[in-house]
Amino acid sequence: MATRQPPLVPLGDDERDVALQQTPWRKRASLSSLADGAEAFLAGAGFDRGPWMAVAMASGIGAWFALPSTAMWVAAIAAGLMLPLAGLAWWRGRDDRVHLTGGLLGIGLLFAFGVALIWTRSEMVGAEAFERPMFEEIEGRILERIEQPAQDRVRLVLAIRSPDDGEAVKIRINVPIEDAEDAMAEGALIRAQVRLMPPTAPMLPGSYNFARTAWFQGLAATGSVQGDISIIEPARGDQAPIAQLQRVLSNHVRGELGGSAGSIAAAFASGDRGGISEADEDAMRDAGLTHLLSISGLHVSAVIAAGYLISIKLLALWPWLTLRVRLPVAAAGIAALAGVGYTLLTGAEVPTVRSCIAALLVLIALALGREPLSLRMVAVAAMAVMLVWPESLVGPSFQMSFSAVIAIIALHNAEPVKRFLAPRDEGRLTWLSRRTIMLLVTGLVIEIALMPVVLFHFHRAGVYGALANVIAIPLVTFISMPLIAIALIFDVIGAGAPFWWLVGKSLDLLIGIAHFTADQPGAVKLIPQMTLGTVLLFVAGGLWLALWRGRARLLGFVPAAIGCIVLAITPVPDVLISGDGRHVGVTGEDDRLLVLRDTRSSFTRDNLLELAGVEGEPLPLAEWPGAECSRDFCVIALNRGGRDWHILMSRSRDIVAERALAAACERADIVIADRWLPRSCEPRWLKADGRMLSATGGLAINLGDESYRSVAQSEGDHGWWRGRREED
């Protein structure tokens, strides 16, 4: 009997056979090819891995701030730890996966470490805020004295016992400058009648978060003296010597040189910015010159460079030492001491510490004969700062400082720039022209790098900063700061007056440049709608452009382009509501900001204007022809998104008949009040009364797409947020 042959099953020898065909994502070979491509890409990129380690650590810190709950923080740490474990499980022992395994290991561990680091820091230093405002007589020991003559006040940071439970807490109070005696210094014990407030949450989404800053500074309350202040125990002279030296130096400089120039000279010499007027601060900011007032890379580098050059010239005059010691090493040591001393004297703020660490690394590289300017150096400085102050990552000082330095180094390490600056046989004028062009290009690149960060934090940016910096940076570096140092040296023998006169003229020129630039038409760009997601797109694109090498770095333009598109299509909020419900701003009406209540508070007015993207004085709703206002309420109709929106806003806290209120609410789309409204008040869309706002905080409403952003959305379970929980 003939046997039956089994049917022929195609085994895939022919590409047209379909028996073994699967979807690509289910084929191990396809997944392996992706890994092969990633490995080859990493192997051939030739990038420096050090900066990406700092980025991974920063990402972990940033994730803790962005994620809202404890469960998500734990999940983030777990995800960071599982990433390297997964890589080791998949590719352990495989020589063709070295770069992928190493990358997953480094990124995962540093990401998890960043989350754990900032969480630990928050638990260790965070201070619970007072539950309510207080008016109390307190006794406290002064921990820090901060001079602010431009605001006619002195700030004192005190250690006191809480009036509620007797726990040791730290507070900050403002003392009128005429009442602040010299004996009120670090270590003194004082008694005063004060009004204390819990640190305030952001007034609106995107506003300055003082509650978060106070949390990490350990401040339980801030306030001001409301009566007499007396000294129980004067300060001893041996406490806080650096702070006392800083004040003595600052007062000396302002005594030798008055006016705005003296205040800026004091900032350069001691880091004390308290004497700079608000008008000068605003002009410097709008001209893109604020970085000159913050003691950072420019100032520290100038001090260290001067120390290095002067010391190596003087040491070269000693033949015995020249024959036995490498002068660059000795000069580097002296310059390092000068840089550290200047950093401590000027307050050791984040930009100063970063600059000092980076400058010390440059000195070490010079002493060893290595390349002094590298992104790895910046990464070491960034990780050092984040280890000590991880909370500084979310502040504008850290972000602007490192963005500028990364942009400078990345630009000057680019091959076209190296070729442009390469030595060649040319005349002095041509050499100077090339350096001037490069200075202008560097300023422009810095402005582009800083603009997303500046817009995110301050909602405004100077447009002509690159041009102003071409003159201002050389002026400060090569004229103003050396003259200040020379004037201080000659003051020892009482002969510094001529040099102070020259300092004044140079700084008057700087202030004139700032005011001239800021006053030009279109000098300031207002963009209040920069959100966290948008700025992260720009940051991701900028880091990729700066840290990668070769043509692959051009991929960084993709997220930056997406960020530009998102920014362009993000609308300016139509209605702004403060967290207490008392202040309401309406935008889009004849390029004016309409406000529910006129206020004398510059803080409130500036917040509303910044988030509205409007300049000029706000106009009270009661004076707007399109609004109807009574003693208790204002009603306005806004045409947005092709329809009319009727908004009802409470102006007083007087009792209103519930039936009349319910009828008014029924005719309104949005009701806004600073008190809790009865449940019978049911508007068509949103009731932003005291009950809701105590949970959400301030609101920014977009009527076009019927959406809103709240302060609470960015605060979550972090200790500084004191809003009522939604479920309460």
Side-chain angles (χ1 to χ4, degrees), residues 257 261 475 480 499-510:
L257 187 62
L475 174 66
S480 298
F499 299 101
W500 285 120
W501 182 83
L502 293 173
V503 170
K505 294 301 180 183
S506 69
L507 293 180
D508 286 339
L509 176 59
L510 175 65

Side-chain angles (χ1 to χ4, degrees), residues 85-147:
L85 292 177
L88 292 173
W90 289 336
W91 302 313
R92 185 176 59 181
R94 292 187 57 176
D95 294 337
D96 59 341
R97 294 289 185 269
V98 174
H99 293 88
L100 278 175
T101 305
L104 293 177
L105 181 65
I107 290 173
L109 291 179
L110 284 168
F111 178 85
F113 176 74
V115 178
L117 176 66
I118 183 59
W119 193 356
T120 303
R121 170 76 172 171
S122 175
E123 294 297 323
M124 290 178 62
V125 306
E128 287 290 336
F130 285 4
E131 292 289 339
R132 66 188 189 282
M134 295 183 179
F135 188 81
E136 299 282 346
E137 183 178 72
I138 56 100
E139 287 187 8
R141 193 166 297 278
I142 300 176
L143 303 177
E144 184 181 3
R145 174 179 172 132
I146 306 168
E147 305 276 352

Side-chain angles (χ1 to χ4, degrees), residues 513-570:
I513 292 170
H515 282 277
F516 175 80
T517 305
D519 291 341
Q520 297 308 302
V524 179
K525 183 65 175 176
L526 301 176
I527 300 183
Q529 66 269 33
M530 176 76 80
T531 62
L532 177 61
T534 306
V535 76
L536 287 179
L537 286 170
F538 285 108
V539 170
L543 287 174
W544 190 274
L545 280 168
L547 304 185
W548 215 262
R549 292 182 183 176
R551 292 185 178 180
R553 74 191 315 169
L554 299 179
L555 293 174
F557 286 112
V558 175
I562 296 174
C564 291
I565 295 171
V566 172
L567 183 61
I569 64 176
T570 302

Side-chain angles (χ1 to χ4, degrees), residues 414-486:
E415 287 301 323
V417 174
K418 288 182 177 180
R419 290 194 298 269
F420 182 76
L421 294 177
R424 62 193 70 179
D425 187 12
E426 61 186 356
R428 189 70 179 174
L429 182 60
T430 305
W431 180 90
L432 182 62
S433 299
R434 285 197 295 118
R435 265 44 185 192
T436 303
I437 292 172
M438 199 64 241
L439 182 61
L440 180 60
V441 171
T442 302
L444 182 61
V445 169
I446 292 174
E447 288 296 315
I448 294 173
L450 294 184
M451 191 165 291
V453 177
V454 172
L455 290 176
F456 177 71
H457 287 284
F458 307 112
H459 314 292
R460 57 190 295 149
V463 177
Y464 306 134
L467 297 174
N469 276 288
V470 170
I471 303 175
I473 290 177
L475 174 66
V476 170
T477 306
F478 302 115
I479 299 178
S480 298
M481 288 194 64
L483 283 173
I484 291 173
I486 294 171

Side-chain angles (χ1 to χ4, degrees), residues 351-366:
T352 321
V353 173
R354 186 272 307 161
S355 304
C356 184
I357 294 173
L360 294 180
L361 292 174
V362 169
L363 289 175
I364 294 172
L366 288 173

Side-chain angles (χ1 to χ4, degrees), residues 280-623:
D280 290 337
E281 286 262 19
D282 291 344
M284 295 288 284
R285 177 197 62 197
D286 293 342
L289 302 177
T290 300
H291 66 96
L292 297 177
L293 301 179
S294 176
I295 304 301
S296 56
L298 176 68
H299 312 79
V300 175
S301 299
V303 170
I304 290 180
Y308 183 86
L309 293 175
I310 293 173
S311 60
I312 200 169
K313 295 296 183 183
L314 293 178
L315 292 175
L317 300 177
W318 188 2
W320 181 90
L321 184 69
T322 304
L323 295 173
R324 291 166 175 80
V325 177
R326 287 190 62 212
L327 294 188
V329 176
I334 296 173
L337 291 176
V340 172
Y342 185 62
T343 298
L344 294 175
L345 180 63
T346 53
E349 298 292 337
V350 170
T352 321
V353 173
R354 186 272 307 161
S355 304
C356 184
I357 294 173
L360 294 180
L361 292 174
V362 169
L363 289 175
I364 294 172
L366 288 173
L368 297 176
R370 302 286 298 274
E371 173 62 37
L373 295 178
S374 69
L375 292 171
R376 182 175 297 180
M377 173 196 71
V378 179
V380 172
M383 295 184 76
V385 171
M386 289 188 290
L387 281 171
V388 181
W389 302 291
E391 69 276 9
S392 66
L393 175 75
V394 297
S397 178
F398 180 99
Q399 295 170 13
M400 294 173 65
S401 176
F402 280 98
S403 296
V405 174
I406 290 172
I408 292 171
I409 295 179
L411 174 67
H412 285 262
N413 284 341
E415 287 301 323
V417 174
K418 288 182 177 180
R419 290 194 298 269
F420 182 76
L421 294 177
R424 62 193 70 179
D425 187 12
E426 61 186 356
R428 189 70 179 174
L429 182 60
T430 305
W431 180 90
L432 182 62
S433 299
R434 285 197 295 118
R435 265 44 185 192
T436 303
I437 292 172
M438 199 64 241
L439 182 61
L440 180 60
V441 171
T442 302
L444 182 61
V445 169
I446 292 174
E447 288 296 315
I448 294 173
L450 294 184
M451 191 165 291
V453 177
V454 172
L455 290 176
F456 177 71
H457 287 284
F458 307 112
H459 314 292
R460 57 190 295 149
V463 177
Y464 306 134
L467 297 174
N469 276 288
V470 170
I471 303 175
I473 290 177
L475 174 66
V476 170
T477 306
F478 302 115
I479 299 178
S480 298
M481 288 194 64
L483 283 173
I484 291 173
I486 294 171
L488 289 172
I489 293 172
F490 275 85
D491 276 345
V492 176
I493 59 175
F499 299 101
W500 285 120
W501 182 83
L502 293 173
V503 170
K505 294 301 180 183
S506 69
L507 293 180
D508 286 339
L509 176 59
L510 175 65
I511 297 168
I513 292 170
H515 282 277
F516 175 80
T517 305
D519 291 341
Q520 297 308 302
V524 179
K525 183 65 175 176
L526 301 176
I527 300 183
Q529 66 269 33
M530 176 76 80
T531 62
L532 177 61
T534 306
V535 76
L536 287 179
L537 286 170
F538 285 108
V539 170
L543 287 174
W544 190 274
L545 280 168
L547 304 185
W548 215 262
R549 292 182 183 176
R551 292 185 178 180
R553 74 191 315 169
L554 299 179
L555 293 174
F557 286 112
V558 175
I562 296 174
C564 291
I565 295 171
V566 172
L567 183 61
I569 64 176
T570 302
V572 176
D574 297 296
V575 182
L576 300 167
I577 308 173
S578 66
D580 58 7
R582 289 186 53 79
H583 301 285
V584 181
V586 178
T587 68
E589 298 297 302
D590 197 23
D591 294 328
R592 299 290 300 273
L593 174 65
L594 310 180
V595 293
L596 177 63
R597 290 179 171 89
D598 197 5
T599 176
R600 291 178 296 178
S601 169
S602 60
F603 173 80
T604 300
R605 183 177 62 254
D606 291 346
N607 268 273
L608 289 170
L609 288 170
E610 283 183 3
L611 272 298
V614 176
E615 291 187 304
E617 286 298 315
L619 179 69
L621 269 171
E623 301 177 14

